[in-house]
Amino acid sequence: MTIIAVQDVYSNDYSWCYGCGKLNEKGHQFKTRWEGEKTVTIFQPKSEHMAVPGFVYGGAIASLIDCHGTGSAALALHRQNGHEPGDGKEPPRFVTASLHVDFMKPTPQNVELKAVGDVEAIHPKKWRVTVEVFAGPVLCAKGEVIAVVMPDTFLQK
């Protein structure tokens, strides 16, 4: 697995997302990395991510899938362009065009979650990422993110 996550090298202008923003102290701060040809984000749910005692709130899982999807698309396009996180070239930034989540099994609270993604280009600026979320060996959720390259006009300056 690569050591540097794509979110570690996003410009500070793009680092405020509640899910993956390194500058958002109250956010999840998800980190997405390559693991071979797949992408991986590890998440340890906290007590505030509880739905009912012992189980994770579905919105936290959806957030994991969402940010893992956009981070995975950024990794894939960055690699397609001949770069890897940490090589000095800023990666592209993506936003979510569509998010679909299917909950397969209740997700236990005190277990590290692993989101695993497969990335497919469907247009030069649009990528499909399928994501599976595991608690240990148990598949708890599946999702699909359609991610698009963030337009320059997205930032307010």
Side-chain angles (χ1 to χ4, degrees), residues 34 75-85 87-90:
W34 283 113
L75 282 172
L77 181 54
H78 202 45
R79 180 172 277 180
Q80 179 179 293
N81 291 337
H83 301 285
E84 295 293 333
D87 70 2
K89 178 72 173 167
E90 188 175 323

Side-chain angles (χ1 to χ4, degrees), residues 34 37-39 69 72-77 117-121 127-130:
W34 283 113
E37 294 301 310
K38 299 202 184 263
T39 57
S72 296
L75 282 172
L77 181 54
D118 283 308
V119 189
E120 169 193 9
W127 295 69
R128 176 183 295 117
V129 183
T130 55

